[in-house]
Every structure is written in structure tokens, then in C-alpha cells.
Amino acid sequence: MDTGNGNSEGKFWAATFRSILSSIDSILGKLGKFIPWLRHWLHRPILVPHQRKHWWHMGRTGDQRPAMQVATYWHITNPTDQPIRVLSAFIARPKTDGMVLVKDVNSNYFGSYSIPPGCTTELNADFWIVPPITKEGRHIVVDVVFIDQFNQRRKVKAVKIASDKRRTPQPTKLETERIWTLTNEIEKRVASVLQDEIARYKKFGRREGQLGSVLAEFNGREIRQIYQDSWSSDKAGQRQEIASGSGDRKVKTENGDALVRYYNGLSDKEERDAFVNALLKRLTRRLEYFCVSYLILYVMFRSGKISDALAVANQTLSERRTWLSIAKEKAFGPSLLESHQRYGYSDFFGMLNGLLRYEHEAFRDSELDDIEKCISEADEHTFRIAEKVNSIRSLRLSQRDGSTPLNE
């Protein structure tokens, strides 16, 4: 395809456009000498809101009258060929004079500095509105006007300024449990360990890429971020979804292993059932144990009851949206959990992802079926669990000699 003509045509139009702009600029410059408002318009500084947000605060004047302190932050550019000095600023309505500070382009000092031609710097403008025009917590919208040494005015319209006391949604606090009120000894011990894990998760949780007291041992190394997958391009085509080979690999947790030992020490079936029920009853987003759902999954896995945990999880950990919850969200905004409670459902699958990666031999084939069913019904990110299940099945099939039954 011949593109020579297209390139020539593009260059022609680009040159034509530049010529037109130059002519317009020249005409406006000449007209500006005779038309004052056009001259002012051409020489206006350019103001852009700073990344630091505007705010206002309810305060008082020296004679104790209520007043609104308004602080605004800007980037200002001088597009002309001569220095510009911004002398003052005011809010158009209600008419309120303010104080302007400009950052020196050659230092970190603010004051009545000039802005050299073609330079950009920072500008702060503060105002006191007396009397207040709104209540605390509400934002205001005002027009701000800046005046330079040539008496040229630059108006920035509809500047939105938020109150520093603006109302923000309060996080929903999940129901807590008072352990001293529990009468069943098994339930009391289970709850105590889970609450200790909550304290650890607050310190070493999702924000730090960890799951409380959980870690993995792999080839002599300790791995804290067990739910995250790692990939190597130089091993492309090899099995990387799961850790294989003869090296040592194991997921462990001090609190989880303590509960597993306690369960193994229970000889009576009724006591073991009570232990399992105590865990499953706390596998819910309604209680404070939501953030340590991963630990409940771990203990159920070690106790041979992982299918029971999977069957319960999607019913109790998922945030089922109804028409009523959607309407409430539209009216009052989304309801947020406390920061350490926001990833309970995701961390549950994160733990499952880690267990499949490091201890895939311990899963029965029937449990792999239950895992697939669980993730197919989940309304949460399920990491690479599906790929791991397929990789485990493929590995097992390749290791069969024809006489060995599938792992059951």
C-alpha cells in the first residue's frame, strides 16, 4: 500500500492549521491593543485546582462571631511574555475578600512573589465568610476571582469546597461475642482462639499481604503471602499452578494447629460434633469472626471436614443483594465494614488457593468436586482455584500406572 500521498496530505493540513492559528493569534494580539477587555482576556493567568483539596472550617472572628474559614489550593501558569503578580482574590457571592500567597519558583517559600513568563507555580487563597452561609458538614459552591497587577480579573466558576467536618458513612461494626457468657467449654475454647486470630489479623492482614498467623513452608523458606501465586517466564509450559516435586511444603498456623490438636484430643463423637458446629456457626459475615473465616476453613480441612465448610460458605459469607439492600444503598450510600473485616469472603478463597497450591496431595477427588461446585456458585474472586483443580487432576492422571485407583 502506498502511503506517501497520505503522509504528504497530513503534513500539508498540519502546516495549514498552524498557519491559521498563528494568524488568529496575531490578529487577536493587534486587536487587544485597542480593545481593553480582549487584552485582559489574552493576558489572564491560567488556574488549575491543586491535588490538595479545597476545604472549609467553621470558626470565629476576633470578636467571636461565627465565620467560615475557606482554604483553596491552585496551580497557576503565566502564559504571557512578562511577569505576573496576583495581588488579591475574592469570592464573588457573598462578596468576600481573601489573602493570596504564591510560591516562589526558585524556593519553597510562599509570599507576594511574581510568576515569571511561561512558568507554573502554586497559589493558596484563604477567605473568611461572615456570617456563615451553610451548616457544618455541607459543601459550598462559589466563584473565585483573582486580580493581578494590571487589574486583570480571572474568574474560576463553580468551585466546590467540602467541609472538613463532612459526614462520612460510619463503618458497620459486626456483632461481637462475650466469651465469658458461653457455658459450653468446647465453644468457649474455639471462640477464644478465633478472637486471638482476629487480633493477629488486624496487625498482619490483607493490607500487609498476610493472613494473621498463617504461613507456608516451602523448600526451607517461610512464605507469608500464601494466597498469592508466583509465575516464572523461564518455566513457561511447565506446571506452575501447584507446587510439586520432592521438596518439603506445608501450610501451618499456630492458632489453627492449636484447634486441630484440641479436636484430635476429643474422643467422644458428640464432643467432636460440638467442635465442628462451633466453627460452622461462626463462619458468617454477621459475626466478628468474618475476617478469620480462612482459619475456620483451615481447621475444617485438617479435621477432614472441608466439604462441610464449603457447603456453608457461599450461604453465610456472601453478601446477598436484595431489592431492599440496593434501595438502601442508593438512599444512604454503600455500607462499609471495618477495614479489617472487608476481605473475609475473599480470604476464605485465598486460604483455599494456598492449600491447593502447597498441599494438593491431601485433597480427595470428591473434595475437588466440592471445591469446583463451591467456586461455581461464588460471587467473589476465587483466585486460580479452578486452574489448580484441573492441574491436580492432570498430575494424578499422569502418575497412575493403570492399577492404582484415583485418590479417594
Side-chain angles (χ1 to χ4, degrees):
M1 180 183 294
D2 182 10
T3 60
N5 291 337
N7 289 337
S8 299
E9 186 177 350
K11 291 179 180 178
F12 169 77
W13 286 112
T16 303
F17 183 67
R18 285 196 297 270
S19 176
I20 293 172
L21 287 181
S22 178
S23 300
I24 293 174
D25 186 59
S26 175
I27 293 171
L28 289 175
K30 292 177 180 178
L31 288 175
K33 294 179 180 179
F34 305 102
I35 306 175
W37 68 263
L38 182 57
R39 183 177 67 250
H40 294 167
W41 185 85
L42 289 170
H43 291 167
R44 295 180 309 163
I46 300 169
L47 285 121
V48 177
H50 198 280
Q51 58 266 29
R52 186 178 179 185
K53 301 297 184 183
H54 310 315
W55 56 267
W56 76 265
H57 171 80
M58 191 68 77
R60 290 185 178 277
T61 62
D63 55 1
Q64 296 304 300
R65 288 182 297 161
M68 296 172 62
Q69 180 187 2
V70 178
T72 64
Y73 305 93
W74 309 87
H75 292 291
I76 182 169
T77 300
N78 176 4
T80 71
D81 57 1
Q82 55 186 318
I84 287 180
R85 176 173 292 181
V86 179
L87 301 180
S88 63
F90 65 88
I91 291 174
R93 186 180 301 174
K95 179 67 164 56
T96 306
D97 293 323
M99 180 180 68
V100 174
L101 294 175
V102 176
K103 182 179 177 296
D104 179 18
V105 295
N106 297 313
S107 71
N108 290 322
Y109 293 105
F110 282 79
S112 299
Y113 293 102
S114 297
I115 308 167
C119 288
T120 299
T121 187
E122 299 175 31
L123 179 150
N124 301 343
D126 294 339
F127 311 87
W128 283 89
I129 301 177
V130 184
I133 58 175
T134 190
K135 296 180 179 179
E136 251 183 337
R138 298 178 179 175
H139 71 266
I140 60 174
V141 179
V142 295
D143 296 340
V144 182
V145 181
F146 298 88
I147 306 173
D148 65 19
Q149 78 270 33
F150 303 111
N151 199 31
Q152 298 172 145
R153 301 190 175 198
R154 175 68 165 93
K155 178 185 284 190
V156 185
K157 296 182 178 181
V159 180
K160 185 175 180 179
I161 303 172
S163 168
D164 65 344
K165 300 294 185 182
R166 61 187 181 276
R167 296 168 186 166
T168 57
Q170 293 299 311
T172 301
K173 187 175 179 63
L174 297 181
E175 182 181 337
T176 58
E177 187 171 48
R178 295 178 176 83
I179 295 179
W180 60 270
T181 64
L182 300 174
T183 57
N184 184 286
E185 186 63 28
I186 293 176
E187 207 169 14
K188 182 178 292 187
R189 295 191 180 187
V190 167
S192 296
V193 176
L194 292 179
Q195 290 198 8
D196 181 65
E197 185 68 16
I198 292 173
R200 295 201 183 191
Y201 183 82
K202 286 181 178 180
K203 298 174 184 176
F204 307 106
R206 185 64 167 265
R207 290 175 180 266
E208 288 72 33
Q210 301 185 32
L211 294 180
S213 64
V214 179
L215 60 87
E217 290 183 347
F218 181 53
N219 290 336
R221 295 184 296 118
E222 285 192 354
I223 301 172
R224 290 284 178 180
Q225 300 172 329
I226 74 155
Y227 58 85
Q228 296 183 354
D229 290 305
S230 59
W231 306 91
S232 176
S233 59
D234 61 351
K235 294 182 180 179
Q238 299 183 29
R239 193 184 306 280
Q240 298 189 62
E241 292 82 8
I242 56 178
S244 56
S246 58
D248 294 333
R249 54 185 185 277
K250 182 180 179 64
V251 177
K252 65 179 186 179
T253 153
E254 180 183 353
N255 281 331
D257 292 336
L259 286 175
V260 172
R261 286 193 298 271
Y262 179 60
Y263 173 79
N264 291 334
L266 299 173
S267 55
D268 185 86
K269 182 180 182 302
E270 185 176 344
E271 290 181 338
R272 288 198 165 198
D273 289 344
F275 177 92
V276 171
N277 290 334
L279 285 174
L280 293 180
K281 187 169 72 172
R282 290 165 176 80
L283 187 63
T284 172
R285 69 180 300 116
R286 182 177 57 83
L287 300 176
E288 62 180 322
Y289 306 109
F290 178 54
C291 64
V292 293
S293 299
Y294 64 87
L295 193 76
I296 296 175
L297 175 69
Y298 176 88
V299 177
M300 295 292 285
F301 167 69
R302 293 280 184 234
S303 305
K305 303 286 185 180
I306 190 172
S307 293
D308 294 336
L310 295 172
V312 170
N314 282 343
Q315 300 299 318
T316 60
L317 299 183
S318 173
E319 185 180 14
R320 301 293 178 182
R321 290 171 62 84
T322 64
W323 67 267
L324 184 60
S325 65
I326 294 173
K328 183 178 178 182
E329 182 176 315
K330 288 182 177 180
F332 304 102
S335 59
L336 295 176
L337 296 175
E338 295 177 280
S339 59
H340 70 285
Q341 292 286 6
R342 294 175 186 173
Y343 308 103
Y345 195 17
S346 178
D347 287 341
F348 178 89
F349 286 116
M351 170 62 84
L352 183 57
N353 191 66
L355 289 172
L356 286 168
R357 178 173 179 80
Y358 295 106
E359 297 194 37
H360 52 86
E361 297 95 341
F363 287 86
R364 296 189 292 271
D365 286 344
S366 60
E367 291 173 340
L368 296 181
D369 293 339
D370 293 333
I371 290 171
E372 277 195 310
K373 181 177 184 297
C374 179
I375 64 174
S376 70
E377 298 173 349
D379 55 358
E380 177 63 57
H381 171 63
T382 56
F383 298 87
R384 293 185 176 269
I385 291 175
E387 291 94 325
K388 287 180 172 60
V389 170
N390 290 330
S391 185
I392 293 168
R393 285 178 173 151
S394 176
L395 177 64
R396 290 179 181 178
L397 188 62
S398 67
Q399 292 175 340
R400 292 182 63 197
D401 59 6
S403 59
T404 306
L406 288 174
N407 181 20
E408 288 288 355

